[in-house]
Amino acid sequence: MYGWHLRILRVNLTTRKVTTEDVDPKIARDYLGGRGWAIHYMYKEMDPSVDPLSPENMLIFATGPLTATPAPTGNRYMVVTKSPLTGALAHSNSGGEFPTWMKRTGFDMFIFEGKASEPVYVLVNEDQIEVKSAAHVWGKDTHETTDILKAETSTEARVACIGPAGENLALMAAIMNDKHRAAARSGVGAVMGSKNLKAVVAMGNKNPPLHDPEGMRSISVETSKNVGADVKKGSNMRIYGTSYVPQVTNTLGILPTRNFLQGTFEHVHNIDGDALKDNYLIRHTPCYRCPLSCGRLTEVPDGPYKGKGEGPEYETISSLGTGCGVSNLAALVKANYLCNEYGMDTITTGMTIAVAMEMYEKGYISEDVIGMPLKFGDHDAMIEMIKLMAHNKGFGKDLAMGSYRLAEKYGHPELAVTTRKQEFPGYDPRGSQGMGLLYATSNKGASHMEGDVAYEEVFGVPVKENPLTTEGKPELVKHFQDSFALIDSSGLCVFVAIRYVFDKNRMIWPETLAAMMNLTTGAGYTPEEVMKAADRVYTLERMFLIKAGSGPEWDVLPYRMLHEPLPDGPAKGMVAELDKMLPEFYEKRGWDEKGYPTKEKLMELGLPLN
Amino acid sequence: MMIRVKLIANYREALPPEAKNGVVELNVPAGTTVYDAISRFDIPLNDESVIVLNGLTVDMDTPLKEGDMVTAFSAIAGG
Ligand code: SF4
């Protein structure tokens, strides 16, 4: 077989038994790879009602057919598991180098089950697989852990690991790879911590053969050239990474500010991409084989926030920055470094602190409980909170549960801005209606990475949609959800692959992506077939959610979005109009009026009926 | 009448030196449209740009009023 190895590695951490198994080529084709394969296995093998932090939960690392191919940005993997933050599905994507090295072990996917009796890491060097003690790195941060494990295995190895946050089961714990890249969202790091699995170390030289290497080479050169032409014109992603976005969302009045009390931030210039570039940028850093290179190495050279690392990205600026009302850039950069070192999702971390700040200012949580004042804009208190969260100390224990549980515990659930208990990313849906529908229906809880219609509503890619209207949004959201399921299953990065899912007329028609999948796998996909496979993946995830108790009753938006109009900016006076979009969305997805996939839809997609 | 033009990120290079925080003030005659204002700057006036008036999506031939802000940024996929 081409493109896929069609081989899975399964590690039972309880028994330390390691097995390998083959993948049925029909399943491989029908579920594409990555995110698609993972949900197929989870749905087939696991009771969706299990406690996410119990040994019964499966933790899956999955590459796609395009991972480790010449395709530009073919450097991704997905971490799929049941989320302890949301109780729904977690599927978090990351790039860097680890995913390519993982695919070169000769396996497409690693499945971790059970729970080790003491801290371990798993070394996969092709067919030599070892479960080794991690006692010496337990408690260490992600950077130290990476250095130590590379030193004791090989400089040729790549490491994905958790930091203290994952060990302490903080519900915003991430899995970091190559130090700076994160499978960030939904608490995947806490699942890894609950299994006493500190790290996964991958190395090898086994790439699956390509079906048409020459064809793949030429399509890759051509697509790289297109990206290169944009970089030459002055691509913002190359110059700024996503850090240029605060100016865009501030202009549209959808920049989450002070826990969504506002949609614009008066000090945005202090913490935007230009400020970052002028003060702390050292150079660009790409993931493996990426012509866009949106990562940025930065350094705060001196002072109390001295440090060096990567980022921050937009989502960090809109959570730990504007979300918390913080305008001190050096402190924000430092907070980002700490999150990476402790292994934490910056969105949930920042927006949880933001809720705590609002509760403090309103007198719902006292200074005694917190241990210090916690006003919006207090960057030093914010940094202190991050440390407490990662180490599960003091008030950090409350924060480590995420904003939904925090707000509920202190009697004000209306202040948590979440869906399926997961914090919103950086686009206020009162001023970007399609994003509201996306957050409400996303299989992983509020997320932009499950069908980012901000591409059209905010960035005009490939066409500009009015963000304030609801017309046409149900169909748009469905198309974006499927397109992202396709990209996530393929092994590419959305930032570049978004080009491959539209045709010349700017309609969703993934001709280029289907061509890449064919040249790689020889599976003979048509664009219709890959879109149908993506629909299959998305719908099966929905079935998992329903069985996990996170079904249609959770397709809602939080109080603030529905009942508190934006007080400022271009979308002033608006609320999210979810009820205008949801029924049509269900219909477009082939779900019944209550939000359950119909029998006809399941049959059409070849999915199990129960 | 006085209006403002704001160019974001890479488009800032097209601004004159007196611009502050990416914003320049312009004195324009009555009847000036969004298109008239933005075409004074060296940025692509096609699908590669997003152009909004006071943060809102409008037609390019919308006439401007005193104090309006026209903002433009690059709409290239992945950047
Ligand atoms: S666009 Fe950015 S995140 Fe995506 S592969 Fe390239 S460097 Fe990595």
Side-chain angles (χ1 to χ4, degrees), chain A residues 230 233-237 239-240 244 247-248 251-252 269 274 292 458-461 464 466-468 495 499 506 570, chain B residues 6 8-13 20-23 47-48 50-57 71 73-79:
Chain A
D230 289 344
K233 277 188 217 163
S235 156
N236 279 329
M237 284 292 274
I239 305 170
Y240 299 94
Y244 77 98
Q247 284 293 350
V248 173
T251 297
L252 303 189
H269 288 290
D274 285 298
L292 190 54
V458 177
F459 300 106
V461 175
K464 182 78 171 83
N466 187 341
L468 300 183
F495 287 152
R499 305 157 179 265
R506 299 169 174 249
Chain B
K6 177 175 177 176
I8 293 176
N10 58 344
Y11 280 8
R12 285 173 65 151
E13 283 178 18
K20 200 166 166 276
N21 284 337
V23 180
D47 298 333
E48 284 180 22
V50 173
I51 297 157
V52 293
L53 172 60
N54 303 325
L56 299 169
T57 312
T71 305
F73 56 91
S74 167
I76 293 175

Tab-separated table of all heavy atoms in Angstrom, chain A residues 230 233-237 239-240 244 247-248 251-252 269 274 292 458-461 464 466-468 495 499 506 570, chain B residues 6 8-13 20-23 47-48 50-57 71 73-79:
chain	number	residue	atom	x	y	z
A	230	ASP	N	3.179	34.455	-2.664
A	230	ASP	CA	2.504	35.298	-1.674
A	230	ASP	C	3.482	35.815	-0.626
A	230	ASP	O	3.371	36.957	-0.170
A	230	ASP	CB	1.378	34.518	-0.988
A	230	ASP	CG	0.215	34.276	-1.934
A	230	ASP	OD1	0.167	34.953	-2.978
A	230	ASP	OD2	-0.622	33.412	-1.630
A	233	LYS	N	5.130	38.745	-2.012
A	233	LYS	CA	4.280	39.948	-2.004
A	233	LYS	C	4.232	40.580	-0.616
A	233	LYS	O	3.749	41.686	-0.456
A	233	LYS	CB	2.846	39.557	-2.381
A	233	LYS	CG	2.587	39.459	-3.862
A	233	LYS	CD	1.082	39.272	-4.055
A	233	LYS	CE	0.802	38.330	-5.198
A	233	LYS	NZ	-0.559	37.818	-5.184
A	234	GLY	N	4.650	39.834	0.394
A	234	GLY	CA	4.619	40.371	1.751
A	234	GLY	C	3.529	39.748	2.586
A	234	GLY	O	2.690	40.447	3.151
A	235	SER	N	3.511	38.414	2.652
A	235	SER	CA	2.471	37.734	3.420
A	235	SER	C	2.546	38.069	4.908
A	235	SER	O	3.592	37.970	5.538
A	235	SER	CB	2.629	36.224	3.232
A	235	SER	OG	2.047	35.545	4.313
A	236	ASN	N	1.402	38.453	5.447
A	236	ASN	CA	1.369	38.762	6.880
A	236	ASN	C	1.761	37.569	7.731
A	236	ASN	O	2.360	37.727	8.794
A	236	ASN	CB	-0.035	39.225	7.272
A	236	ASN	CG	-0.250	40.683	6.936
A	236	ASN	OD1	0.695	41.469	6.964
A	236	ASN	ND2	-1.470	41.041	6.592
A	237	MET	N	1.376	36.377	7.282
A	237	MET	CA	1.688	35.187	8.084
A	237	MET	C	3.196	34.993	8.192
A	237	MET	O	3.698	34.522	9.202
A	237	MET	CB	1.035	33.951	7.482
A	237	MET	CG	-0.447	33.867	7.760
A	237	MET	SD	-0.812	33.592	9.502
A	237	MET	CE	-0.688	31.815	9.547
A	239	ILE	N	5.466	37.494	7.937
A	239	ILE	CA	6.058	38.609	8.685
A	239	ILE	C	5.679	38.540	10.167
A	239	ILE	O	6.520	38.727	11.038
A	239	ILE	CB	5.593	39.965	8.106
A	239	ILE	CG1	5.916	40.042	6.607
A	239	ILE	CG2	6.257	41.127	8.843
A	239	ILE	CD1	5.275	41.232	5.905
A	240	TYR	N	4.412	38.253	10.421
A	240	TYR	CA	3.901	38.390	11.795
A	240	TYR	C	3.446	37.091	12.429
A	240	TYR	O	3.095	37.089	13.607
A	240	TYR	CB	2.674	39.316	11.803
A	240	TYR	CG	2.911	40.714	11.321
A	240	TYR	CD1	2.680	41.067	9.995
A	240	TYR	CD2	3.355	41.708	12.198
A	240	TYR	CE1	2.885	42.364	9.550
A	240	TYR	CE2	3.556	43.006	11.764
A	240	TYR	CZ	3.326	43.323	10.433
A	240	TYR	OH	3.518	44.610	10.000
A	244	TYR	N	-0.625	39.470	13.764
A	244	TYR	CA	-1.189	40.690	13.156
A	244	TYR	C	-2.709	40.770	13.349
A	244	TYR	O	-3.306	41.825	13.169
A	244	TYR	CB	-0.858	40.764	11.652
A	244	TYR	CG	-1.699	39.872	10.773
A	244	TYR	CD1	-2.807	40.376	10.091
A	244	TYR	CD2	-1.416	38.524	10.632
A	244	TYR	CE1	-3.593	39.559	9.289
A	244	TYR	CE2	-2.190	37.701	9.834
A	244	TYR	CZ	-3.280	38.220	9.162
A	244	TYR	OH	-4.061	37.408	8.380
A	247	GLN	N	-5.242	43.533	15.328
A	247	GLN	CA	-5.655	44.788	14.675
A	247	GLN	C	-6.898	44.563	13.800
A	247	GLN	O	-7.749	45.450	13.710
A	247	GLN	CB	-4.511	45.334	13.816
A	247	GLN	CG	-3.408	45.995	14.611
A	247	GLN	CD	-3.867	47.282	15.292
A	247	GLN	OE1	-4.954	47.802	15.048
A	247	GLN	NE2	-3.030	47.789	16.188
A	248	VAL	N	-6.974	43.393	13.193
A	248	VAL	CA	-8.117	43.087	12.328
A	248	VAL	C	-9.378	42.917	13.182
A	248	VAL	O	-10.411	43.553	12.941
A	248	VAL	CB	-7.854	41.804	11.503
A	248	VAL	CG1	-9.102	41.400	10.729
A	248	VAL	CG2	-6.669	41.996	10.558
A	251	THR	N	-10.615	46.064	14.754
A	251	THR	CA	-11.312	46.908	13.778
A	251	THR	C	-12.760	46.455	13.609
A	251	THR	O	-13.672	47.273	13.497
A	251	THR	CB	-10.595	46.844	12.410
A	251	THR	OG1	-9.290	47.380	12.574
A	251	THR	CG2	-11.339	47.620	11.341
A	252	LEU	N	-12.967	45.133	13.609
A	252	LEU	CA	-14.326	44.614	13.432
A	252	LEU	C	-15.109	44.563	14.749
A	252	LEU	O	-16.287	44.206	14.768
A	252	LEU	CB	-14.281	43.205	12.815
A	252	LEU	CG	-13.564	43.049	11.467
A	252	LEU	CD1	-13.802	41.656	10.902
A	252	LEU	CD2	-13.998	44.086	10.446
A	269	HIS	N	-2.495	48.473	20.411
A	269	HIS	CA	-1.200	48.767	19.784
A	269	HIS	C	-0.015	48.314	20.628
A	269	HIS	O	1.056	48.068	20.100
A	269	HIS	CB	-1.067	50.270	19.503
A	269	HIS	CG	-1.936	50.704	18.376
A	269	HIS	ND1	-1.683	50.349	17.070
A	269	HIS	CD2	-3.077	51.417	18.359
A	269	HIS	CE1	-2.628	50.845	16.300
A	269	HIS	NE2	-3.491	51.484	17.051
A	274	ASP	N	2.963	44.350	15.321
A	274	ASP	CA	4.016	45.340	15.080
A	274	ASP	C	4.849	45.564	16.331
A	274	ASP	O	6.074	45.656	16.264
A	274	ASP	CB	3.391	46.656	14.598
A	274	ASP	CG	2.933	46.537	13.150
A	274	ASP	OD1	3.789	46.317	12.283
A	274	ASP	OD2	1.717	46.610	12.909
A	292	LEU	N	5.614	28.570	4.330
A	292	LEU	CA	5.040	29.804	4.881
A	292	LEU	C	5.795	30.262	6.128
A	292	LEU	O	6.058	31.451	6.295
A	292	LEU	CB	3.558	29.575	5.204
A	292	LEU	CG	2.738	30.805	5.565
A	292	LEU	CD1	2.843	31.879	4.496
A	292	LEU	CD2	1.274	30.436	5.751
A	458	VAL	N	-14.086	37.195	8.493
A	458	VAL	CA	-13.109	38.169	8.983
A	458	VAL	C	-12.042	38.472	7.930
A	458	VAL	O	-11.747	39.630	7.642
A	458	VAL	CB	-12.448	37.659	10.284
A	458	VAL	CG1	-11.365	38.624	10.778
A	458	VAL	CG2	-13.515	37.450	11.359
A	459	PHE	N	-11.470	37.413	7.352
A	459	PHE	CA	-10.270	37.606	6.527
A	459	PHE	C	-10.535	37.663	5.025
A	459	PHE	O	-9.614	37.856	4.238
A	459	PHE	CB	-9.258	36.493	6.827
A	459	PHE	CG	-8.836	36.463	8.261
A	459	PHE	CD1	-9.292	35.485	9.122
A	459	PHE	CD2	-7.999	37.446	8.760
A	459	PHE	CE1	-8.926	35.471	10.456
A	459	PHE	CE2	-7.621	37.450	10.095
A	459	PHE	CZ	-8.086	36.452	10.941
A	460	GLY	N	-11.771	37.419	4.610
A	460	GLY	CA	-12.074	37.507	3.180
A	460	GLY	C	-11.448	36.404	2.351
A	460	GLY	O	-11.159	36.593	1.178
A	461	VAL	N	-11.215	35.238	2.946
A	461	VAL	CA	-10.582	34.123	2.236
A	461	VAL	C	-11.552	32.951	2.144
A	461	VAL	O	-11.992	32.448	3.177
A	461	VAL	CB	-9.312	33.665	2.990
A	461	VAL	CG1	-8.711	32.434	2.324
A	461	VAL	CG2	-8.296	34.789	3.060
A	464	LYS	N	-15.232	37.453	0.890
A	464	LYS	CA	-15.616	38.160	2.113
A	464	LYS	C	-17.110	38.003	2.339
A	464	LYS	O	-17.924	38.333	1.480
A	464	LYS	CB	-15.259	39.647	1.966
A	464	LYS	CG	-15.582	40.487	3.206
A	464	LYS	CD	-14.558	40.320	4.316
A	464	LYS	CE	-14.754	41.305	5.452
A	464	LYS	NZ	-15.750	40.921	6.443
A	466	ASN	N	-20.261	38.983	5.017
A	466	ASN	CA	-20.590	39.945	6.067
A	466	ASN	C	-20.701	39.203	7.404
A	466	ASN	O	-21.547	38.324	7.549
A	466	ASN	CB	-21.909	40.639	5.732
A	466	ASN	CG	-22.218	41.769	6.700
A	466	ASN	OD1	-21.659	41.817	7.804
A	466	ASN	ND2	-23.078	42.668	6.292
A	467	PRO	N	-19.866	39.551	8.387
A	467	PRO	CA	-19.887	38.785	9.641
A	467	PRO	C	-21.129	39.024	10.491
A	467	PRO	O	-21.419	38.238	11.389
A	467	PRO	CB	-18.643	39.296	10.389
A	467	PRO	CG	-18.349	40.634	9.815
A	467	PRO	CD	-18.835	40.609	8.394
A	468	LEU	N	-21.861	40.096	10.192
A	468	LEU	CA	-22.992	40.441	11.062
A	468	LEU	C	-24.300	39.778	10.647
A	468	LEU	O	-25.292	39.879	11.355
A	468	LEU	CB	-23.186	41.968	11.096
A	468	LEU	CG	-21.987	42.765	11.615
A	468	LEU	CD1	-22.318	44.250	11.677
A	468	LEU	CD2	-21.546	42.263	12.984
A	495	PHE	N	-3.435	26.354	7.718
A	495	PHE	CA	-3.031	27.682	7.230
A	495	PHE	C	-2.676	27.662	5.747
A	495	PHE	O	-2.880	28.634	5.042
A	495	PHE	CB	-1.830	28.212	8.010
A	495	PHE	CG	-2.158	28.647	9.406
A	495	PHE	CD1	-1.185	28.605	10.402
A	495	PHE	CD2	-3.410	29.119	9.733
A	495	PHE	CE1	-1.465	29.009	11.697
A	495	PHE	CE2	-3.703	29.523	11.026
A	495	PHE	CZ	-2.725	29.470	12.013
A	499	ARG	N	-6.009	26.654	0.994
A	499	ARG	CA	-5.982	26.935	-0.452
A	499	ARG	C	-6.406	25.723	-1.273
A	499	ARG	O	-6.853	25.878	-2.396
A	499	ARG	CB	-4.567	27.230	-0.934
A	499	ARG	CG	-3.854	28.296	-0.240
A	499	ARG	CD	-2.353	28.103	-0.411
A	499	ARG	NE	-1.674	29.181	0.268
A	499	ARG	CZ	-1.264	30.286	-0.322
A	499	ARG	NH1	-1.391	30.436	-1.610
A	499	ARG	NH2	-0.690	31.237	0.372
A	506	ARG	N	-13.522	29.938	-6.300
A	506	ARG	CA	-13.628	30.185	-4.859
A	506	ARG	C	-14.782	29.416	-4.218
A	506	ARG	O	-15.379	29.843	-3.237
A	506	ARG	CB	-13.752	31.689	-4.587
A	506	ARG	CG	-12.526	32.414	-5.095
A	506	ARG	CD	-12.670	33.903	-5.108
A	506	ARG	NE	-11.373	34.478	-5.467
A	506	ARG	CZ	-10.597	35.166	-4.657
A	506	ARG	NH1	-10.980	35.418	-3.434
A	506	ARG	NH2	-9.437	35.625	-5.055
A	570	PRO	N	-18.087	48.166	15.954
A	570	PRO	CA	-19.032	48.087	14.831
A	570	PRO	C	-20.224	47.172	15.081
A	570	PRO	O	-21.279	47.347	14.476
A	570	PRO	CB	-18.178	47.519	13.690
A	570	PRO	CG	-16.772	47.762	14.089
A	570	PRO	CD	-16.722	47.791	15.577
B	6	LYS	N	-6.963	53.586	7.785
B	6	LYS	CA	-6.098	52.736	8.606
B	6	LYS	C	-5.649	51.540	7.761
B	6	LYS	O	-6.484	50.854	7.160
B	6	LYS	CB	-6.879	52.245	9.822
B	6	LYS	CG	-6.109	51.298	10.699
B	6	LYS	CD	-6.929	50.960	11.931
B	6	LYS	CE	-6.198	49.947	12.784
B	6	LYS	NZ	-6.895	49.675	14.015
B	8	ILE	N	-3.469	47.934	7.896
B	8	ILE	CA	-3.028	46.986	8.929
B	8	ILE	C	-1.863	46.140	8.430
B	8	ILE	O	-1.828	45.732	7.265
B	8	ILE	CB	-4.219	46.093	9.358
B	8	ILE	CG1	-5.265	46.948	10.090
B	8	ILE	CG2	-3.757	44.946	10.247
B	8	ILE	CD1	-6.525	46.208	10.481
B	9	ALA	N	-0.956	45.852	9.348
B	9	ALA	CA	0.158	44.913	9.141
B	9	ALA	C	0.972	45.271	7.896
B	9	ALA	O	1.417	46.414	7.770
B	9	ALA	CB	-0.365	43.482	9.123
B	10	ASN	N	1.110	44.330	6.929
B	10	ASN	CA	2.012	44.602	5.792
B	10	ASN	C	1.574	45.806	4.956
B	10	ASN	O	2.401	46.427	4.302
B	10	ASN	CB	2.173	43.350	4.907
B	10	ASN	CG	0.859	42.837	4.355
B	10	ASN	OD1	-0.202	43.220	4.844
B	10	ASN	ND2	0.915	41.982	3.363
B	11	TYR	N	0.304	46.166	5.007
B	11	TYR	CA	-0.162	47.318	4.227
B	11	TYR	C	0.324	48.651	4.805
B	11	TYR	O	0.225	49.679	4.140
B	11	TYR	CB	-1.697	47.322	4.141
B	11	TYR	CG	-2.266	46.374	3.111
B	11	TYR	CD1	-1.456	45.454	2.445
B	11	TYR	CD2	-3.623	46.393	2.796
B	11	TYR	CE1	-1.985	44.573	1.515
B	11	TYR	CE2	-4.160	45.522	1.855
B	11	TYR	CZ	-3.330	44.609	1.227
B	11	TYR	OH	-3.862	43.746	0.303
B	12	ARG	N	0.828	48.620	6.026
B	12	ARG	CA	1.279	49.877	6.634
B	12	ARG	C	2.384	50.545	5.835
B	12	ARG	O	2.554	51.762	5.900
B	12	ARG	CB	1.753	49.630	8.066
B	12	ARG	CG	0.605	49.402	9.023
B	12	ARG	CD	1.082	48.994	10.387
B	12	ARG	NE	1.836	50.055	11.039
B	12	ARG	CZ	1.891	50.214	12.351
B	12	ARG	NH1	1.249	49.403	13.138
B	12	ARG	NH2	2.602	51.175	12.885
B	13	GLU	N	3.109	49.718	5.094
B	13	GLU	CA	4.198	50.286	4.283
B	13	GLU	C	3.692	51.299	3.269
B	13	GLU	O	4.446	52.143	2.793
B	13	GLU	CB	4.936	49.166	3.544
B	13	GLU	CG	5.875	48.415	4.447
B	13	GLU	CD	6.569	47.273	3.733
B	13	GLU	OE1	6.576	47.275	2.486
B	13	GLU	OE2	7.079	46.391	4.433
B	20	LYS	N	0.147	57.588	12.225
B	20	LYS	CA	0.432	57.172	13.598
B	20	LYS	C	-0.371	55.903	13.917
B	20	LYS	O	-1.574	55.869	13.666
B	20	LYS	CB	0.019	58.305	14.546
B	20	LYS	CG	0.692	58.210	15.883
B	20	LYS	CD	0.564	59.494	16.681
B	20	LYS	CE	0.951	59.225	18.112
B	20	LYS	NZ	-0.120	58.687	18.944
B	21	ASN	N	0.295	54.905	14.441
B	21	ASN	CA	-0.348	53.623	14.735
B	21	ASN	C	-1.129	53.080	13.536
B	21	ASN	O	-2.214	52.518	13.688
B	21	ASN	CB	-1.282	53.743	15.937
B	21	ASN	CG	-0.504	53.788	17.242
B	21	ASN	OD1	0.632	53.325	17.310
B	21	ASN	ND2	-1.108	54.363	18.262
B	22	GLY	N	-0.584	53.294	12.351
B	22	GLY	CA	-1.221	52.745	11.149
B	22	GLY	C	-2.373	53.573	10.614
B	22	GLY	O	-3.062	53.146	9.698
B	23	VAL	N	-2.592	54.767	11.196
B	23	VAL	CA	-3.743	55.578	10.788
B	23	VAL	C	-3.265	56.924	10.243
B	23	VAL	O	-2.386	57.560	10.817
B	23	VAL	CB	-4.691	55.833	11.985
B	23	VAL	CG1	-5.888	56.682	11.551
B	23	VAL	CG2	-5.162	54.523	12.585
B	47	ASP	N	-9.629	41.141	-4.891
B	47	ASP	CA	-9.966	40.189	-3.823
B	47	ASP	C	-8.834	39.958	-2.837
B	47	ASP	O	-9.025	39.293	-1.822
B	47	ASP	CB	-10.331	38.834	-4.447
B	47	ASP	CG	-11.539	38.951	-5.324
B	47	ASP	OD1	-12.360	39.847	-5.065
B	47	ASP	OD2	-11.662	38.160	-6.277
B	48	GLU	N	-7.666	40.468	-3.143
B	48	GLU	CA	-6.542	40.268	-2.215
B	48	GLU	C	-6.631	41.184	-1.000
B	48	GLU	O	-5.809	41.093	-0.096
B	48	GLU	CB	-5.213	40.534	-2.930
B	48	GLU	CG	-4.799	39.412	-3.844
B	48	GLU	CD	-3.478	39.706	-4.535
B	48	GLU	OE1	-2.696	40.536	-4.034
B	48	GLU	OE2	-3.252	39.098	-5.588
B	50	VAL	N	-9.161	43.148	2.030
B	50	VAL	CA	-10.449	43.378	2.687
B	50	VAL	C	-10.504	44.849	3.049
B	50	VAL	O	-9.557	45.380	3.639
B	50	VAL	CB	-10.603	42.521	3.958
B	50	VAL	CG1	-11.873	42.918	4.715
B	50	VAL	CG2	-10.652	41.046	3.614
B	51	ILE	N	-11.596	45.508	2.650
B	51	ILE	CA	-11.735	46.939	2.939
B	51	ILE	C	-13.058	47.139	3.662
B	51	ILE	O	-14.111	46.691	3.178
B	51	ILE	CB	-11.694	47.748	1.626
B	51	ILE	CG1	-10.317	47.555	0.968
B	51	ILE	CG2	-11.960	49.232	1.892
B	51	ILE	CD1	-10.282	47.797	-0.502
B	52	VAL	N	-13.014	47.745	4.834
B	52	VAL	CA	-14.243	47.958	5.615
B	52	VAL	C	-14.366	49.429	6.000
B	52	VAL	O	-13.370	50.154	6.083
B	52	VAL	CB	-14.282	47.079	6.890
B	52	VAL	CG1	-14.404	45.604	6.539
B	52	VAL	CG2	-13.066	47.311	7.792
B	53	LEU	N	-15.599	49.851	6.217
B	53	LEU	CA	-15.876	51.231	6.625
B	53	LEU	C	-16.386	51.202	8.064
B	53	LEU	O	-17.424	50.588	8.331
B	53	LEU	CB	-16.925	51.850	5.681
B	53	LEU	CG	-17.470	53.220	6.082
B	53	LEU	CD1	-16.362	54.271	6.175
B	53	LEU	CD2	-18.547	53.672	5.087
B	54	ASN	N	-15.654	51.846	8.946
B	54	ASN	CA	-15.980	51.814	10.377
B	54	ASN	C	-16.179	50.375	10.866
B	54	ASN	O	-17.060	50.091	11.677
B	54	ASN	CB	-17.223	52.660	10.673
B	54	ASN	CG	-17.043	54.098	10.225
B	54	ASN	OD1	-15.945	54.650	10.303
B	54	ASN	ND2	-18.109	54.697	9.715
B	55	GLY	N	-15.393	49.485	10.312
B	55	GLY	CA	-15.450	48.081	10.716
B	55	GLY	C	-16.556	47.288	10.059
B	55	GLY	O	-16.715	46.098	10.326
B	56	LEU	N	-17.348	47.923	9.204
B	56	LEU	CA	-18.504	47.246	8.603
B	56	LEU	C	-18.262	46.932	7.128
B	56	LEU	O	-17.554	47.656	6.433
B	56	LEU	CB	-19.753	48.137	8.732
B	56	LEU	CG	-20.174	48.467	10.168
B	56	LEU	CD1	-21.242	49.550	10.176
B	56	LEU	CD2	-20.682	47.211	10.885
B	57	THR	N	-18.893	45.835	6.675
B	57	THR	CA	-18.802	45.446	5.275
B	57	THR	C	-19.735	46.346	4.459
B	57	THR	O	-20.938	46.382	4.723
B	57	THR	CB	-19.276	43.978	5.128
B	57	THR	OG1	-18.628	43.197	6.134
B	57	THR	CG2	-18.962	43.419	3.761
B	71	THR	N	-10.679	51.054	6.620
B	71	THR	CA	-9.562	50.181	7.013
B	71	THR	C	-9.342	49.121	5.943
B	71	THR	O	-10.307	48.583	5.394
B	71	THR	CB	-9.878	49.479	8.352
B	71	THR	OG1	-10.189	50.477	9.321
B	71	THR	CG2	-8.703	48.648	8.840
B	73	PHE	N	-6.836	45.567	4.888
B	73	PHE	CA	-5.783	44.596	5.201
B	73	PHE	C	-5.744	43.501	4.147
B	73	PHE	O	-6.699	43.316	3.395
B	73	PHE	CB	-5.937	44.016	6.616
B	73	PHE	CG	-7.274	43.371	6.889
B	73	PHE	CD1	-7.475	42.012	6.653
B	73	PHE	CD2	-8.329	44.102	7.401
B	73	PHE	CE1	-8.694	41.405	6.911
B	73	PHE	CE2	-9.564	43.516	7.657
B	73	PHE	CZ	-9.743	42.163	7.416
B	74	SER	N	-4.636	42.789	4.120
B	74	SER	CA	-4.420	41.766	3.105
B	74	SER	C	-5.295	40.547	3.356
B	74	SER	O	-5.465	40.113	4.489
B	74	SER	CB	-2.953	41.349	3.128
B	74	SER	OG	-2.775	40.170	2.386
B	75	ALA	N	-5.836	40.004	2.265
B	75	ALA	CA	-6.715	38.829	2.383
B	75	ALA	C	-6.109	37.621	1.690
B	75	ALA	O	-6.831	36.777	1.180
B	75	ALA	CB	-8.081	39.142	1.796
B	76	ILE	N	-4.799	37.534	1.668
B	76	ILE	CA	-4.180	36.384	1.008
B	76	ILE	C	-4.316	35.158	1.905
B	76	ILE	O	-4.038	35.229	3.103
B	76	ILE	CB	-2.697	36.675	0.711
B	76	ILE	CG1	-2.601	37.777	-0.347
B	76	ILE	CG2	-1.984	35.426	0.251
B	76	ILE	CD1	-1.206	38.227	-0.630
B	77	ALA	N	-4.759	34.046	1.324
B	77	ALA	CA	-4.972	32.825	2.115
B	77	ALA	C	-3.708	32.479	2.881
B	77	ALA	O	-2.616	32.530	2.333
B	77	ALA	CB	-5.350	31.675	1.201
B	78	GLY	N	-3.893	32.122	4.113
B	78	GLY	CA	-2.741	31.805	4.943
B	78	GLY	C	-1.890	33.033	5.148
B	78	GLY	O	-0.701	32.936	5.372
B	79	GLY	N	-2.500	34.178	5.038
B	79	GLY	CA	-1.682	35.316	5.387
B	79	GLY	C	-2.092	36.591	4.723
B	79	GLY	O	-1.478	37.601	4.900
